[in-house]
Structure formats: C-alpha cells, structure tokens
Amino acid sequence: MTQEAVLQFKDLDVKFKTEFGRVHAVKGLNLEVRPGEVVALVGESGSGKSVTATTALGLLPKNAAIGGETVVGQHSITKLNGKQLRTIRGNHVAMVFQEPMTALNPVIRVGEQLTEAMEVHGVAFGREAWSRAVDLLKAVGIPNAERRAKQFPHELSGGMRQRVVIAMALSCDPEVIIADEPTTALDVTVQADILDLLRSLKDKLNTGILLITHNMGVVADMADRVAVMFKGEIVEHGTAEEVLLHPQHPYTKRLLDAVPHLGDGHGQFGSKVNPVTTDELALEVRNFVIEYKRQGKKPFRAVDDVSFDVRRGEIVGLVGESGSGKSTIGRALLGLIPAHSGEVRVLGQDLTKLRGQELKKLRRRIGVIFQDPAASLNPRLPIGDVIAEPMVVHKIGNAAERKARVHELLDAVRLPRSAYNRYPHELSGGQRQRVSIARALTLNPDLLVADEPTSALDVSVQASVLEMFTDLQTEFGFACLFISHDLAVIDSLAHRVVVMQYGKIVEKGTREEVLLDAKEEYTRRLLAAAPVPDPIEQAQRREERHRLLESLGDEVVELDTRELDQ
C-alpha cells in the first residue's frame, strides 16, 4: 500500500465575510488521509469539520476567503476553475452526505441518478451505465437491485437510501471518500451495517476515507487515526486508541466524559437516578391499538396490542428502531392521535373516553418534550412567552405570577434570566431544548412524555441536558416516558425498559434485565449494534455481533467487489 496521501490539507485557513464581520471558521489546519485509511475528524457543531471537508470539493460559498492549500491526489483544489473542479469531483474525491434524502433528487429514479454521475464523468454510457448502476447497488448490499434501480428515493428505507448515496460515491472509482456524518439519521442496526460496508470498502478497494462525526462510538468502530477539532483548530491528533483511551487535551477529555457508555448504568452524568418508592401508576396502557386508514386498502396497524405502565417518580425507556411505533404511542398519549381500541389511563382517568374540557383538564397534568426544539418553539414569541404559554392557555395566574414562574423555571433549567426577552433563533440548540423542558414543566405535570429529546444535540450538550433532566426528575418527582433509539442514553436514565418492533412489544423489564441480560433476539440485535467509545472493546463487540448475526442466519454486510470487477 502506497503511503502517499490521497487528501491533504496544508495550513488550511477559512474565513467567512458576514454582515456581523469576519468569522474565522478554520485556523491553519494540517491533516492528510492515505489510501486504505480512515481518518476521523471529530468535534461539536461549529468546530469547522464540515467547512474543512467542503473545501476538498471546492464547494464553499463565494463569501469564503480560503488560505493554505487543499490537495486531492496530485491536484491543488484552490487553484482549479469550475470546469476542472467538476472533473475532480467524482473521479478523484466523492462525498457521502449526512441526510440521503437531501442528497438524492426526489423526482429521478435511483438508477438514473447513478447513471447520470457516470455519464457526466465519461465512465460509462447508456445500457453499460445502467448495468453498472445495478451492479453498484448489488455491491452495496441492496437486494433486488434491478427493481430498486427503477424506484424513487422515497420508496426506499433510510438505510437503503444511504447505501445508494455510497454507491453514487463509488460510481467513478474515487481515490478518497468524504463521509460527513453518514450514520446520524440512521437506526443503530442500520448504522452498524453501513459502518461494516464502509470498512469493507476501504479494505477491498484501498480507498481513503475522511469520516466526519461527533459520535465517538462510530469513531471507535471505524477510525485508524483521529483528529479532534475545537473552534477551527486541531487540538489533538493520534491513533484511535491514543486519542480515545489516553486523551491529552482538556477538550478531548471533556468530550469523551460526556459520551454515555452502554452498560455503565445510572449516574454517568454525575446525578444518580432515584429509586422508585411507590406502586401508584401515573400511566397505564392496556391492549392499545392504533390504526391508520388507507383508501382501498386494509388499515395499517401502527401500534398492535401494546400494554405497559409507568409509576409515579419512575422513568420508563421506550426503545426501538424507526417505524416501531414509539413516537406514535407518545402522540396518542397526548390525545393527538385517536386510538382504535384499548385503554390508556393517565392518573386514573381513561384518556380515550375524554372529550372537550375534561380532556383539556387532564392535559394540564401531562408535559411533553419534542425531538426538535427549533420546530416545536414558536419563532415569533420571546422565550418568556413560550414558557408562559401553557399558563395562558389554561388561564392560570396573572401576568406577575406567570413572570415569576418563568424566572423560576429558567433557574431550574440553568438558563440566565436574561433569556426571558430573547427569541428562539438567538439561542443554541442545547439552550432551545432547555426551554422546551422548562415549558413542559410549567404546570408541574405528573407525567412527562419525552420524545427523543437529546437526539439532535452534540454529545457534551446532551450530557448537560441529561444531567439537568435527572436533577429535575428528582426535584419534581414526575413520572416519565422517555422515548429514544439511543440505548446508552436509556441505560443512564431508565428504571425500566420497553422494547418495540413493528408496533409490538418484544421485551420489557427492569433496566438490568433488558439491557444487561436480554432474552429476545431483536433486543440482542439492538444491543450488539450499539457502538461504545472504546476501540478495543468495540472491536470485540463487532466480532460478537457478526457471530450473533451468523448464528441467526443473517449475512454480515460487506462490499461485493465481484459486481464492481465485471
């Protein structure tokens, strides 16, 4: 294997000219990727990771002032014009984007998008290009490739769409692939498959990969070397074992300390989860069924005969992959989706039988935290009004009492009182999620439904929000249904765990019973696929997962180079 770098950043410096002055996004960065090597560029949002990667494709906007040099193969990107850049993209460097639905054209069939890339770069044309497109889909593990090639992106699952994007990146045999958060939007089992595919890709085709991520488990699973970015600079650089197991820089240490570790249980974020001391039920779900009507077809059953409960002062984790029915249950518990049958008793009252004022009165006792704070906060209201809105809706208190309550809640969620008159867009993602939590607690709810409340946050922000959440649960004593696909987060918070698949409960029990001694095949698959931020332990877990899949009759995902060699 030649050691000559396929991608180099030499003293890369990027500044953006904005209406508020110059923003120094990348400060004198030096980094290289060699053939057959995975280099992980890690750091939080705003650290400059994606700006660095975009430089390699010559895609930065016109207000960017670029210093230093970016070299792909033997080509200096900063010296090329538009036509020359188009030759470099695809042929020498390709990109796998974070969200495949934004990277794929929704009105063009999958196969045509693959042939377009090949025809633009003169790799293949007509029937030959189509045949190669089908071979590429087979190579990345998509079944029934001939049929899938004729489908539109929306007809594929998230994991399949990401495989299509990887196939597009491979279509012109590039020397280096830049993978920008390639698994963030994927379920844990699909993520494990995609990582297996990328690993197979670099081993068999000797392709260099620059992996951009904030997920330390993914880094432990994939990376040969790791570069940690902070405020536009690389603050630490070394092998995966050096950086993840023996970090030197305070920022790297802080980043790793904030990563939840599956198996470490409660108290990972400094606050111990209190034991439940009562048998009084805050939520009781019995034989719950939710169906969606479809014109001319049999109704789709999204939730099928589900039964579980949540006691006062208890956190129950509801886990499963996308489409398992988790969020549907959460919305139904708020009365936002009608139930087909079954019983939901919230604080002793059957939610499915209440209407009008009775339902509104019960809703006062239920708080909700949504997944995306940017979408769930009214952008036209200042933060004080956002948090006070539940009191206004339910006609509680006067203006002075509401303001005092908002100040009290801002203190509780560790936000400055000066945030009272600021708008949501003026806050960071973590601060907006704290506002969502404050709003959910405005009316002192007895039951809180939290739907993926930390999935959109950086790891250190997630840790501070989870620590605060634990403190608040201890202080206010609310029952909580915590919906998540992150098993490590559930491990750090929950007293009991309910696992769902295809609308049904496949396993439930205490945190220890489900996460440490799973009985059901599906739960074992989920646990085996969850990465941990220790490269040595993760290598063992990966081997154990492959053995588990083989024992269950499943194939381990690998790149099939036979399809590419034809």
Side-chain angles (χ1 to χ4, degrees):
M1 183 177 76
T2 176
Q3 292 303 304
E4 191 172 336
V6 289
L7 174 64
Q8 287 178 285
F9 300 101
K10 301 177 181 178
D11 296 317
L12 180 66
D13 195 274
V14 182
K15 295 175 183 172
F16 292 99
K17 188 178 180 181
T18 72
E19 58 183 311
F20 304 108
R22 282 187 176 272
V23 175
H24 205 167
V26 180
K27 305 168 185 175
L29 179 139
N30 288 285
L31 188 67
E32 64 179 29
V33 180
R34 293 186 284 269
E37 179 184 46
V38 178
V39 177
L41 192 58
V42 304
E44 295 173 296
S45 299
S47 61
K49 308 187 303 294
S50 293
V51 172
T52 300
T54 310
T55 310
L57 292 146
L59 292 174
L60 287 181
K62 291 180 179 178
N63 67 331
I66 306 170
E69 189 179 20
T70 302
V71 181
V72 174
Q74 306 298 318
H75 307 276
S76 180
I77 296 297
T78 44
K79 296 175 182 174
L80 302 181
N81 60 32
K83 186 176 180 181
Q84 291 168 325
L85 279 172
R86 281 193 293 275
T87 305
I88 296 297
R89 295 173 194 146
N91 283 330
H92 296 278
V93 58
M95 192 147 185
V96 177
F97 292 96
Q98 178 173 352
E99 178 45 72
M101 267 312 266
T102 58
L104 297 172
N105 192 321
V107 296
I108 299 179
R109 297 177 198 277
V110 165
E112 290 166 6
Q113 296 191 52
L114 282 162
T115 58
E116 180 186 29
M118 287 182 269
E119 289 174 350
V120 165
H121 291 284
V123 173
F125 298 91
R127 287 186 178 178
E128 183 189 349
W130 182 266
S131 175
R132 182 170 164 81
V134 172
D135 288 343
L136 280 164
L137 294 179
K138 289 178 183 175
V140 297
I142 292 181
N144 303 317
E146 293 87 351
R147 182 169 66 88
R148 295 294 187 184
K150 297 173 185 176
Q151 293 183 315
F152 292 97
H154 73 270
E155 296 179 272
L156 306 181
S157 68
M160 281 195 185
R161 286 196 291 262
Q162 195 62 290
R163 291 181 195 208
V164 170
V165 173
I166 292 171
M168 288 177 72
L170 288 173
S171 61
C172 301
D173 297 322
E175 299 158 24
V176 60
I177 290 177
I178 297 170
D180 189 0
E181 301 276 11
T183 62
T184 298
L186 304 178
D187 288 319
V188 65
T189 49
V190 181
Q191 171 180 277
D193 287 343
I194 293 297
L195 294 180
D196 280 343
L197 179 58
L198 287 171
R199 193 180 304 102
S200 173
L201 166 70
K202 66 107 175 178
D203 288 342
K204 292 183 178 178
L205 301 183
N206 206 30
T207 307
I209 297 176
L210 178 63
L211 175 68
I212 297 167
T213 184
H214 65 264
N215 187 326
M216 291 300 184
V218 170
V219 173
D221 200 21
M222 280 290 295
D224 300 303
R225 288 188 294 123
V226 182
V228 182
M229 274 193 90
F230 179 58
K231 293 184 177 178
E233 297 179 290
I234 290 181
V235 295
E236 188 159 357
H237 183 208
T239 66
E241 289 187 18
E242 287 169 350
V243 174
L244 296 182
L245 299 182
H246 309 289
Q248 301 300 313
H249 195 275
Y251 175 71
T252 313
K253 292 176 182 177
R254 196 165 72 243
L255 210 56
L256 289 167
D257 286 344
V259 179
H261 191 296
L262 182 62
D264 283 2
H266 295 165
Q268 292 188 49
F269 303 110
S271 298
K272 197 75 175 172
V273 176
N274 279 358
V276 182
T277 56
T278 177
D279 289 328
E280 187 182 355
L281 295 179
L283 172 67
E284 191 176 2
V285 179
R286 292 287 173 265
N287 308 114
F288 198 45
V289 176
I290 297 172
E291 288 187 346
Y292 292 109
K293 293 179 181 176
R294 298 185 292 181
Q295 193 170 2
K297 292 183 180 179
K298 187 180 175 183
F300 172 68
R301 186 162 282 199
V303 177
D304 188 2
D305 196 27
V306 164
S307 299
F308 65 92
D309 53 53
V310 184
R311 291 174 288 175
R312 285 185 179 273
E314 181 182 42
I315 301 175
V316 171
L318 187 60
V319 302
E321 296 174 297
S322 298
S324 62
K326 308 186 304 292
S327 293
T328 303
I329 286 178
R331 287 194 287 270
L333 297 181
L334 302 167
L336 301 176
I337 298 176
H340 177 264
S341 62
E343 185 180 25
V344 178
R345 301 191 74 81
V346 178
L347 307 163
Q349 294 180 276
D350 190 347
L351 185 74
T352 59
K353 292 185 170 62
L354 298 180
R355 299 289 183 273
Q357 287 300 314
E358 285 185 322
L359 180 58
K360 185 178 179 181
K361 192 175 178 181
L362 181 60
R363 277 181 176 160
R364 275 180 53 177
R365 303 176 69 185
I366 307 172
V368 58
I369 307 168
F370 293 101
Q371 180 171 354
D372 185 357
S376 63
L377 301 179
N378 190 328
R380 297 183 179 182
L381 291 182
I383 297 305
D385 290 353
V386 167
I387 297 174
E389 191 174 20
M391 290 187 281
V392 174
V393 169
H394 292 283
K395 299 181 175 60
I396 295 171
N398 55 36
E401 289 169 340
R402 290 169 188 166
K403 186 173 183 178
R405 175 63 174 156
V406 171
H407 282 153
E408 183 186 320
L409 287 163
L410 286 172
D411 293 341
V413 298
R414 301 171 198 169
L415 282 174
R417 292 192 175 190
S418 59
Y420 188 94
N421 291 313
R422 294 167 71 186
Y423 286 84
H425 73 270
E426 297 179 270
L427 305 181
S428 69
Q431 288 175 322
R432 284 197 292 262
Q433 195 60 292
R434 288 168 188 260
V435 171
S436 297
I437 293 171
R439 181 181 59 181
L441 297 175
T442 302
L443 301 177
N444 284 324
D446 295 294
L447 173 66
L448 193 65
V449 178
D451 188 3
E452 301 271 13
T454 61
S455 65
L457 304 178
D458 281 324
V459 64
S460 59
V461 180
Q462 171 182 275
S464 63
V465 168
L466 290 175
E467 181 185 1
M468 181 202 67
F469 187 88
T470 309
D471 290 343
L472 291 172
Q473 204 265 343
T474 301
E475 181 183 345
F476 291 94
F478 51 78
C480 178
L481 180 66
F482 198 99
I483 300 167
S484 180
H485 68 268
D486 191 327
L487 294 171
V489 168
I490 292 295
D491 185 36
S492 70
L493 282 180
H495 297 93
R496 288 188 294 132
V497 180
V498 178
V499 182
M500 289 191 68
Q501 182 189 26
Y502 304 140
K504 291 177 178 286
I505 290 176
V506 293
E507 190 162 2
K508 59 184 176 181
T510 65
R511 181 191 66 82
E512 292 84 359
E513 288 169 348
V514 176
L515 299 184
L516 302 182
D517 188 26
K519 301 292 189 294
E520 296 299 320
E521 176 189 310
Y522 176 69
T523 312
R524 286 160 53 211
R525 285 176 189 265
L526 281 181
L527 291 166
V532 296
D534 179 327
I536 297 173
E537 183 184 348
Q538 180 54 30
Q540 294 170 344
R541 287 178 62 85
R542 185 167 64 244
E543 288 178 13
E544 288 168 6
R545 174 177 177 268
H546 290 170
R547 284 198 294 270
L548 173 66
L549 292 179
E550 287 167 5
S551 71
L552 297 172
D554 287 5
E555 290 184 15
V556 176
V557 176
E558 285 191 345
L559 183 78
D560 189 351
T561 49
R562 290 172 301 176
E563 303 293 347
L564 300 180
D565 293 337
Q566 290 174 0

